[in-house]
Amino acid sequence: MPTDLERRPAPVHAPALAGTRARRRRGVPNPLPGVVLTLFVLFFVLPVLWLVLAATKTDDELARGHPLSFGSWQALHANWDALTAYQGNAIFGWLGNSALYSFLALVITLCVAVPAGYALATAEFRGRHTLLVATLVVMLMPNATLVVPLFLEINTVGLIGTMWSIILPYAFYPFGVYLTYIYFSTALPNVGVYAVIM
């Protein structure tokens, strides 16, 4: 005759239950990530699409027509001619200036951030921890708080009104230093990731 212990079913352990639930969940796809991604795509893509399509319309079509409809190639050509004729083709000068300033700021950023991040990740020196904390603090500060100090510095060295007054504030980029520091700390052998804030 079976005893009470033999009649009782074997206990089901929590990991076995979790695995069963996970398998059940795998069979039914979760639509929430797809819905969220679709909303993000619509939120970011629709304004750009509207901007591109707006260039193909006349003023009347832009005010009264469907916002996502294509206008005409003639309207696109007329709008492009009006844009390039503004202040004697000034837009090409603006685009060239933007490309030049961005390129020079990028070169200076790489020349400063890569060696700084490498040194902070691989070398031990006095004040290293303070530099890392200062880099984090500057990263967290809003850009508006740096406007007056940057203006005073650029004014002191006499660069107001030159292209360097635009390039230099964007060239020294604390996030670039911290990003290269993290990269070198994790990618190089025998280099540990140091705690920045204890």
Side-chain angles (χ1 to χ4, degrees), residues 66-89:
H66 190 277
L68 297 179
S69 64
F70 182 82
S72 66
W73 292 107
Q74 291 83 6
L76 177 63
H77 190 273
N79 289 333
W80 176 255
D81 287 342
L83 179 66
T84 56
Y86 180 73
Q87 290 188 0
N89 295 335

Side-chain angles (χ1 to χ4, degrees), residues 35-71:
V35 170
V36 171
L37 286 175
T38 303
L39 290 175
F40 270 104
V41 166
L42 290 175
F43 182 79
F44 288 107
V45 170
L46 279 179
V48 176
L49 181 62
W50 176 87
L51 190 64
V52 170
L53 292 173
T56 66
K57 300 176 184 176
T58 62
D59 291 342
D60 188 53
E61 289 172 337
L62 194 58
R64 298 199 172 113
H66 190 277
L68 297 179
S69 64
F70 182 82

Side-chain angles (χ1 to χ4, degrees), residues 150-160 162 164-165 168:
L150 282 173
F151 173 78
L152 293 175
E153 287 178 9
I154 291 171
N155 189 36
T156 302
V157 294
L159 293 178
I160 295 295
T162 67
W164 298 106
S165 63
L168 291 178

